[in-house]
Amino acid sequence: MEKSNKLLNKYLDKMTYVGELEVSGDIMNWYRNKDINISKIKDVVYFMLVNDKLYKIGKTECATGWHGRVHTYKIGGKFDHTNARIIRVMNEDNLLEHRIKVYVLEIPRKKVEFECPATGDIITDDIPMAKNMEWHLTKKFINEGYELKFCNQL
């Protein structure tokens, strides 16, 4: 049982609402927030909520960003285990009349310098941090009593 929404609201206050997913049979329809340009959203941690309850913390660090990730959700449950789990949970919990609200938190890449052990050359790179943030937040919310029913990693 979730202890309170205080922790969740702390994060949602800093996040951007990007749209909603709706389960329809074995696929999910996407309804984007038309007030923002999702193609510009790249490295993010995202929260999925149903009825104001947190069901998933996820991340994307790919070149296509949130746009690419939402495309994966739209293909449905036949080709993706997370999608299949979301569809199953929505059915089992009798939530099909509700949409999944999605909020994102942009996670900037971190510029690092390191030495190549073979040549001694100094290499500078931008390292994605969304995966680390997803892991940290998932652990934090689980420790606070959140269930995260859409997460396969648990």
Side-chain angles (χ1 to χ4, degrees), residues 90-103:
M90 290 291 286
N91 277 285
E92 289 175 355
D93 289 3
N94 296 313
L95 295 171
L96 293 176
E97 70 274 6
H98 301 283
R99 289 186 178 174
I100 302 163
K101 293 184 178 183
V102 182
Y103 298 82

Side-chain angles (χ1 to χ4, degrees), residues 9-10 12 32 41 66 78 87 93 97 100 104 107 119 130:
N9 290 335
K10 178 182 174 182
L12 290 177
R32 73 176 181 86
I41 299 172
W66 175 251
K78 290 184 179 177
I87 292 167
D93 289 3
E97 70 274 6
I100 302 163
V104 300
I107 308 296
T119 65

Side-chain angles (χ1 to χ4, degrees), residues 9-130:
N9 290 335
K10 178 182 174 182
Y11 284 90
L12 290 177
D13 287 345
K14 304 286 185 193
M15 298 177 92
T16 302
Y17 168 74
V18 291
E20 300 176 3
L21 289 161
E22 177 184 60
V23 173
S24 178
D26 194 40
I27 64 164
M28 287 186 268
N29 298 313
W30 170 245
Y31 301 91
R32 73 176 181 86
N33 177 354
K34 296 190 186 314
D35 293 334
I36 61 168
N37 182 354
I38 65 166
S39 66
K40 294 185 182 221
I41 299 172
K42 298 299 179 195
D43 293 3
V44 298
V45 168
Y46 59 90
F47 286 13
M48 290 184 158
L49 286 82
V50 181
N51 284 343
D52 298 322
K53 183 177 176 184
L54 183 62
Y55 274 73
K56 179 172 177 60
I57 298 172
K59 60 95 176 80
T60 183
E61 296 176 328
C62 63
T64 57
W66 175 251
H67 191 266
R69 186 65 187 107
V70 80
H71 178 72
T72 304
Y73 282 122
K74 288 171 32 178
I75 64 171
K78 290 184 179 177
F79 304 104
D80 184 273
H81 293 295
T82 299
N83 295 358
R85 183 180 183 97
I86 291 170
I87 292 167
R88 180 180 53 78
V89 169
M90 290 291 286
N91 277 285
E92 289 175 355
D93 289 3
N94 296 313
L95 295 171
L96 293 176
E97 70 274 6
H98 301 283
R99 289 186 178 174
I100 302 163
K101 293 184 178 183
V102 182
Y103 298 82
V104 300
L105 181 63
E106 294 190 64
I107 308 296
R109 291 181 178 225
K110 184 159 180 72
K111 187 175 287 297
V112 297
E113 287 187 357
F114 57 97
E115 183 178 328
C116 174
T119 65
D121 293 344
I122 300 298
I123 300 167
T124 303
D125 203 353
D126 289 324
I127 306 297
M129 300 302 297

